[in-house]
Amino acid sequence: MATIEILGVPHAYELTAPTSCPHALVFIHGWLNSRGYWQPVISRLSDDLQCLSYDLRGFGESQSLPETDFSQAQTSFDLTANSSSALNSSFDSLYTPAAYAQDLVALLQQLNIHNAWLIGHSLGGTIALWTATQMPECIKGVICINAGGGIYLKEAFEQFRATGQRFLQVRPRWLSQMPLIDLLFTRASVARPLERYWARQRVIDFVVADPEASLGTLLNSTTEEEVNRLPQLVSQLKQPVYFLAGANDRVMEPKYVRHLASFHRLFEYSGNNVIEIPDCGHLAMLEQPNAVASHIRSIVNVQESVVSGQ
């Protein structure tokens, strides 16, 4: 593991060796997760594709330093030339998807990665879409996994936010030491039980996530304004955008994935940019790593062929 400082926060990341492929794959994890969840997929891709995974600010091993003045750091950060006034208005909070996209912009710049595909899971998919709008020359495409939406259902979102807040209130450090607690996490949000190794990791990530970041990302990513902005983001992207959906995902059902995907030009009325993975819930990279890796490689190769043929 290596670390790099972004806006005063040490970010943990892992970068595999360069390959002959000009593109790097950048993996962005979801809410209350960490970079390690991508390892099963990265292990299947890293021989011929360079892969970057990192922990979002406040999650995994990218923990805030208590003495850091984040408000000052955020306001002093120089936005990229591609950022618009609409984007700037989204930086009122440190925990909006747009703010996390700025973290990723800084990370890619510091690592000198100028040619990348973004692969984002759930919340990470939203962050990937925001980042692609800010770096159109650098980001060659986006693959959203278990990510969709763009429809604000008031009662459903209010219930989701309330449930999430209650969920975050029960996180004592000793929870990860409770016997058999990991068994609960083997079945949560998945089509088939996960291996206990991953269940234990889910418990650890749940417990160690920064309280402010956990709550901030939950609340800021589920506002009416944020949800309704997603279709606009997708429709404006010039880069290819693909969506991998879990057929049995109850957190982000395939119909909501297709809805968001339909705003991109690749959808073409028949869902050409949506791939549904059978026997898969909300953690596709752990449940079906072979399928996820295969689809990522195929998408990148196909788009590379399209570009080369132009």
Side-chain angles (χ1 to χ4, degrees), residues 95-112:
Y95 302 109
T96 61
Y100 276 98
Q102 278 297 118
D103 291 350
L104 180 51
V105 169
L107 178 63
L108 295 178
Q109 290 174 342
Q110 291 192 52
L111 293 176
N112 294 314

Side-chain angles (χ1 to χ4, degrees), residues 180-195:
L180 306 180
I181 186 66
D182 56 315
L183 290 178
L184 295 176
F185 286 78
T186 62
R187 297 179 178 275
S189 304
V190 294
R192 291 186 300 176
L194 297 173
E195 296 178 8

Side-chain angles (χ1 to χ4, degrees), residues 40-263:
V41 172
I42 290 175
S43 67
R44 291 161 167 82
L45 294 171
S46 57
D47 285 345
D48 52 333
L49 293 163
Q50 187 177 35
C51 299
L52 169 65
S53 58
Y54 73 105
D55 288 336
L56 294 171
R57 172 168 36 88
F59 299 94
E61 296 180 282
S62 295
Q63 296 293 332
S64 306
L65 298 176
E67 66 274 12
T68 302
D69 184 351
F70 294 114
S71 298
Q72 181 178 357
Q74 183 71 24
T75 54
S76 65
F77 186 73
D78 185 21
L79 297 177
T80 64
N82 292 314
S83 299
S84 66
S85 58
L87 288 174
N88 293 341
S89 66
S90 298
F91 287 87
D92 295 337
S93 168
L94 293 170
Y95 302 109
T96 61
Y100 276 98
Q102 278 297 118
D103 291 350
L104 180 51
V105 169
L107 178 63
L108 295 178
Q109 290 174 342
Q110 291 192 52
L111 293 176
N112 294 314
I113 294 176
H114 306 295
N115 194 339
W117 274 77
L118 303 183
I119 296 98
H121 171 254
S122 197
L123 171 64
T126 302
I127 295 170
L129 294 171
W130 272 103
T131 307
T133 67
Q134 297 176 43
M135 305 183 78
E137 300 303 320
C138 172
I139 305 306
K140 303 306 178 184
V142 176
I143 302 174
C144 294
I145 300 177
N146 301 119
I151 304 175
Y152 188 79
L153 305 173
K154 187 174 184 294
E155 290 186 6
F157 272 92
E158 287 179 351
Q159 181 178 358
F160 178 78
R161 289 152 68 94
T163 301
Q165 290 180 73
R166 289 194 296 270
F167 185 58
L168 292 175
Q169 290 172 354
V170 190
R171 293 194 306 151
R173 287 278 174 167
W174 50 259
L175 185 67
S176 61
Q177 305 301 320
M178 282 187 62
L180 306 180
I181 186 66
D182 56 315
L183 290 178
L184 295 176
F185 286 78
T186 62
R187 297 179 178 275
S189 304
V190 294
R192 291 186 300 176
L194 297 173
E195 296 178 8
R196 290 189 67 175
Y197 170 84
W198 291 114
R200 285 191 289 271
Q201 187 61 50
R202 295 182 75 183
V203 176
I204 292 170
D205 289 330
F206 171 61
V207 170
V208 304
D210 177 76
E212 187 174 322
S214 302
L215 183 60
T217 50
L218 170 69
L219 298 181
N220 281 289
S221 65
T222 56
T223 64
E224 183 174 3
E225 179 183 11
E226 192 68 43
V227 172
N228 289 334
R229 186 184 285 121
L230 280 175
Q232 182 181 358
L233 277 179
V234 172
S235 66
Q236 292 177 346
L237 285 174
K238 300 293 191 295
Q239 305 98 315
V241 181
Y242 289 84
F243 294 79
L244 303 187
N248 308 104
D249 192 344
R250 297 293 175 261
V251 177
M252 182 56 67
E253 297 178 28
K255 64 181 178 181
Y256 297 122
V257 175
R258 292 191 195 92
H259 173 77
L260 186 58
S262 71
F263 289 90

